[in-house]
Amino acid sequence: MYKKIIVLFLALIFFKVPVIASDFTGPVNDILSSYNFDHDSVISIAVKDKNGENVYSKNQYKYLNPASALKLFTMAASLNELGGDYKFQTAFYKDKNNNIYLKLSGDPLLKTADIEQLAKNLKQNHKGKINKIYIDDSVIDMLPYPNGWMSDDIWPNSPKISPYMIDFNTVKVDFLLSEDKKDLRIVQKSPYKFSFVNKLQTGSKTDFTFIEDETHNTIDVIGTISSSVTDKPVPVLNPRYFFCQKMNEAINKAGIRFTDKFQFAKTPKDAALIAKFERPADEVIKHILQTSDNIGAEMVFKVAGGKFANENGLIKNSAMAAGTTQNGINMFINYYQNLGLDPRQVRITDGSGVSRYNAMNVDWMTDALSKIDFDFEKFLPTGGVGTLDKRLREIKGCVYLKTGTLVGSSSLVGIIKTKDNVYYYASNIMSYNRNKSLVKAAEDEIIFEIYRRGNDEQN
């Protein structure tokens, strides 16, 4: 009897197995078994308590694609680099020769109303003649898509990444089908026009897409249509042309006399600021994480990467934009290395998680969650909000999670808050060959079970 007690005592000392671990393992395994995922899927889960102690894990060291859950980690690093008080400043400057420079900021949320107000401020603050107007697009590079974005992931699913971003770089188009379904009209309401090649056929359902023909600068509309579709968003083919068109309209609306074409150059260092529009980085990053905005994430990642590169002397050619994906990756590695996390345990090639080349393990991800200086409750959607609009509504305000979805891959990463503000950090990636809704349901069951049993543990 005494020998058994001694053995148990030594086991508790040397192995330090948390009592709570057994409370999670059985129920979570039961959930996974009920879906029979082991038959055709790879499930990777890590859950740790506020002290970083493991309370549940399964395949935690397997490398899988985190999909859009990556945004949580890239945006945390970007916000750290930019600083909490950083503002995306789109601004007009004036040099001594009455040349005006419009310096772009990489603000992914810039809208027509913003530049119209900016143009009004220019009209108020500059009374003299304008010689030329230059646009400074040096904030980020012009590469439209990062490595690993597959053909199904790019245009028209995602507008092109560009320093020229306004109104999400999309315009709305109507596809109007006659009552007898014999005639189709394509109505373009924006001054920015497309050359459509209509290959639509009438059918029992509406399911069509766009294919860009870069050789002929046209868009093929392919699929079926059963009834009229209004305000269909279509990404613009030429972001710079679209932006310049919008900017020209704003200048004319403000009553500024300027009929020449825009030129393109960097803003001189001695140019004076005369009008600006600012948007807080907090607002931008919250939007990105709440809506899983891929293009916004890539732009912010590049802007933060450019700031990191300039501060650390990584720019060898001043003619090249500092805001690149590679500099964002350099910034990311430096940030997590400083937190004591091994950067060799992750592979990233973009800032949004769209790339098929990204790979992480949930053990690293959950460790990162416990170490980053990040306000989860401020930036991440909770149950019933944003990308969790139809999920986990019963525990709204108790979970703050970033979702991720690619074809065949799903992820859910963030915090679970029980009563008395006790936190659990959770990371989950599933590589599956199942109905997506079943996978999401299983994810939610696991999160709810951790929440429920975490509360029970405190009783």
Side-chain angles (χ1 to χ4, degrees):
M1 179 65 180
Y2 290 112
K3 288 183 179 179
K4 291 182 179 179
I5 293 174
I6 291 171
V7 170
L8 178 59
F9 177 72
L10 291 174
L12 290 173
I13 291 175
F14 290 108
F15 293 99
K16 298 181 180 178
V17 179
V19 176
I20 193 173
S22 61
D23 293 336
F24 285 88
T25 301
V28 174
N29 284 344
D30 288 345
I31 292 170
L32 295 175
S33 296
S34 70
Y35 286 89
N36 195 24
F37 280 122
D38 288 339
H39 174 67
D40 56 9
S41 305
V42 177
I43 313 300
S44 183
I45 305 172
V47 183
K48 299 186 180 184
D49 65 18
K50 63 179 181 179
N51 298 316
E53 294 293 331
N54 198 37
V55 299
Y56 181 84
S57 61
K58 181 180 179 67
N59 296 325
Q60 70 267 36
Y61 300 117
K62 281 189 177 293
Y63 284 86
L64 297 171
N65 192 312
S68 283
L70 176 65
K71 289 185 181 74
L72 171 51
F73 303 101
T74 57
M75 291 302 98
S78 297
L79 186 59
N80 175 77
E81 178 61 37
L82 296 174
D85 59 351
Y86 183 86
K87 293 181 174 62
F88 290 86
Q89 184 186 91
T90 306
F92 281 115
Y93 291 80
K94 180 181 71 171
D95 69 11
K96 59 185 178 181
N97 297 316
N98 279 332
N99 293 313
I100 301 298
Y101 291 80
L102 173 60
K103 190 170 184 178
L104 304 180
S105 65
D107 177 1
L109 304 186
L110 197 68
K111 296 180 176 61
T112 296
D114 302 331
I115 63 169
E116 287 179 347
Q117 184 58 53
L118 184 61
K120 287 181 182 179
N121 293 342
L122 173 63
K123 172 71 172 177
Q124 293 172 356
N125 299 337
H126 179 74
K127 302 301 182 182
K129 178 184 176 182
I130 293 177
N131 185 20
K132 293 182 178 180
I133 296 180
Y134 292 89
I135 298 180
D136 180 351
D137 58 12
S138 62
V139 62
I140 62 174
D141 66 14
M142 300 286 287
L143 189 67
Y145 304 111
N147 290 333
W149 283 39
M150 303 294 118
S151 59
D152 288 345
D153 300 319
I154 33 185
W155 201 96
N157 300 305
S158 296
K160 295 175 180 178
I161 302 162
S162 170
Y164 297 96
M165 177 61 67
I166 188 155
D167 296 338
F168 301 104
N169 278 357
T170 60
V171 296
K172 294 179 179 179
V173 179
D174 291 345
F175 296 83
L176 304 179
L177 193 63
S178 63
E179 289 187 11
D180 60 10
K181 298 188 177 182
K182 292 183 179 180
D183 295 314
L184 175 70
R185 288 191 303 125
I186 300 177
V187 180
Q188 302 187 56
K189 296 174 282 188
S190 168
Y192 181 96
K193 303 298 182 184
F194 299 95
S195 294
F196 285 112
V197 178
N198 181 16
K199 298 182 180 180
L200 280 175
Q201 296 181 345
T202 57
S204 59
K205 63 179 182 178
T206 297
D207 183 16
F208 63 87
T209 189
F210 309 107
I211 298 177
E212 179 184 0
D213 184 343
E214 293 185 356
T215 302
H216 301 95
N217 199 32
T218 60
I219 297 176
D220 293 346
V221 190
I222 297 176
T224 59
I225 186 169
S226 61
S227 59
S228 295
V229 176
T230 58
D231 291 336
K232 177 78 171 178
V234 184
V236 301
L237 301 178
N238 189 327
R240 187 166 83 169
Y241 177 79
F242 180 59
F243 183 92
C244 289
Q245 186 179 59
K246 287 281 187 178
M247 195 70 240
N248 191 59
E249 291 172 359
I251 286 173
N252 289 335
K253 187 174 181 179
I256 298 172
R257 293 186 178 182
F258 182 79
T259 57
D260 202 357
K261 293 182 178 180
F262 296 126
Q263 307 294 315
F264 305 93
K266 283 191 174 183
T267 306
K269 292 182 179 180
D270 60 351
L273 175 67
I274 55 174
K276 65 182 179 180
F277 175 82
E278 294 183 327
R279 194 183 314 279
D282 281 10
E283 178 185 335
V284 174
I285 290 177
K286 181 176 180 178
H287 162 82
I288 289 168
L289 293 176
Q290 295 267 335
T291 65
S292 207
D293 179 354
N294 294 323
I295 303 305
E298 297 297 342
M299 292 180 67
V300 172
F301 195 56
K302 287 185 177 187
V303 172
K307 185 173 182 288
F308 174 80
N310 280 314
E311 290 174 345
N312 290 275
L314 302 181
I315 307 302
K316 297 179 180 179
N317 184 350
S318 60
M320 303 294 290
T324 66
T325 299
Q326 183 56 56
N327 284 332
I329 294 170
N330 294 337
M331 176 266 301
F332 177 95
I333 291 172
N334 181 75
Y335 174 64
Y336 287 101
Q337 199 165 29
N338 288 338
L339 291 178
L341 293 162
D342 187 353
R344 294 171 298 180
Q345 293 189 29
V346 299
R347 171 187 169 87
I348 70 166
T349 60
D350 70 1
S352 64
V354 172
S355 174
R356 296 285 177 169
Y357 298 162
N358 296 318
M360 287 182 165
N361 68 67
V362 293
D363 186 73
W364 186 95
M365 296 166 73
T366 310
D367 276 346
L369 292 175
S370 68
K371 293 182 179 182
I372 59 178
D373 181 15
F374 192 74
D375 190 339
F376 296 95
E377 296 183 32
K378 177 178 180 179
F379 292 106
L380 292 183
T382 187
V385 175
T387 55
L388 293 175
D389 176 41
K390 298 178 180 179
R391 303 175 62 182
L392 297 167
R393 292 176 177 175
E394 302 87 348
I395 49 177
K396 180 178 181 179
C398 299
V399 292
Y400 296 89
L401 303 162
K402 180 68 195 77
T403 59
T405 305
L406 288 172
V407 175
S409 182
S410 181
S411 55
L412 196 59
V413 178
I415 63 168
I416 303 163
K417 184 177 71 170
T418 59
K419 64 183 180 181
D420 299 326
N421 287 324
V422 174
Y423 288 84
Y424 292 94
Y425 301 98
S427 298
N428 167 65
I429 303 176
M430 295 191 183
S431 180
Y432 62 90
N433 183 24
R434 288 288 189 91
N435 182 295
K436 182 173 69 174
S437 62
L438 287 177
V439 173
K440 302 296 185 185
E443 289 176 341
D444 291 356
E445 281 191 49
I446 292 168
I447 293 296
F448 188 81
E449 187 64 21
I450 294 167
Y451 167 77
R452 186 177 70 83
R453 290 193 172 263
N455 276 318
D456 289 346
E457 183 64 24
Q458 297 170 53
N459 291 333

